[in-house]
Amino acid sequence: MKHLLVIGGASLDVLHLKDRTVASLGGAGLYTAMAAWHCGARAAMFSPRPDPCPENLQPVAKLLSDWLGPAVDPGQLPQFEISYRGEETEYLKVSLGAEADLSPDMLPPDLSMYDHVHVTPLRDAAVQLSFIQVCRQRGAKRISAGTYPREVEDRPQAVRDLLAHTDCFFLNRGEAIALFGSLESASTEPGKVL
């Protein structure tokens, strides 16, 4: 069974849907770890770890092989308020909480026990790259990362640098077109996955 470490974690979100507003768990790290678990992998997360763990996060925490990272008050988890009421997704509130304080030196000294490390979008591409470089130094076998539309628009060269330092890189259609000019132009080095 493959073992994945996801750098990035959970958020406590408020979603404004067409006909109602709901509280929801979120976070690229949480979604990635749970998708890996659902596909049969062991998944660990490195992110702020709520102590005590909120009741709605406890079932997820039990599925993780480990939740690494600094213990924080649950109120310090990232929080997003997102509207899906119109044609566009609108972020009404963004709070990175304690995730903004994560640094690569907090990672475990040996990452060789993981088959793969995935670095979610953390603050910006430069921060992601610093995590990727430390992961390589600490024995990560394969590294992947992803991005988000605004980062591609604001810092395309920083996103290209991320792509160059990963084995697998994730882009949605809009991000690929913004970064490469067209889907047909999207490419990476031989042996890597885009």
Side-chain angles (χ1 to χ4, degrees), residues 37-179:
W37 175 86
H38 184 72
C39 291
R42 292 175 61 213
M45 280 194 322
F46 173 82
S47 69
R49 186 175 36 86
D51 186 19
C53 189
E55 189 174 330
N56 61 345
L57 261 175
Q58 289 176 14
V60 171
K62 289 177 184 173
L63 298 177
L64 296 170
S65 64
D66 204 356
W67 193 335
L68 309 167
V72 299
D73 181 89
Q76 292 182 288
L77 288 178
Q79 297 177 17
F80 296 88
E81 186 172 350
I82 309 167
S83 174
Y84 295 104
R85 289 188 173 141
E87 294 293 316
E88 299 290 323
T89 300
E90 183 181 2
Y91 285 81
L92 305 173
K93 175 186 170 188
V94 174
S95 171
L96 297 179
E99 192 169 276
D101 299 326
L102 290 180
S103 68
D105 62 323
M106 296 174 170
L107 288 167
D110 181 8
L111 299 176
S112 65
M113 78 278 299
Y114 299 103
D115 297 294
H116 197 103
V117 176
H118 179 75
V119 183
T120 64
L122 301 167
R123 298 191 302 273
D124 60 44
V127 172
Q128 276 181 283
L129 184 57
S130 68
F131 272 90
I132 289 166
Q133 290 168 330
V134 168
C135 287
R136 289 263 185 238
Q137 294 166 0
R138 295 186 182 184
K141 297 171 186 151
R142 290 183 55 81
I143 300 174
S144 62
T147 191
Y148 56 98
R150 182 145 188 179
E151 192 69 359
V152 174
E153 292 168 16
D154 294 348
R155 291 176 276 282
Q157 186 54 52
V159 174
R160 287 184 191 95
D161 292 344
L162 281 179
L163 173 62
H165 286 86
T166 56
D167 302 297
C168 305
F169 198 75
F170 295 89
L171 295 165
N172 66 30
R173 185 177 200 262
E175 293 161 354
I177 291 170
L179 191 63

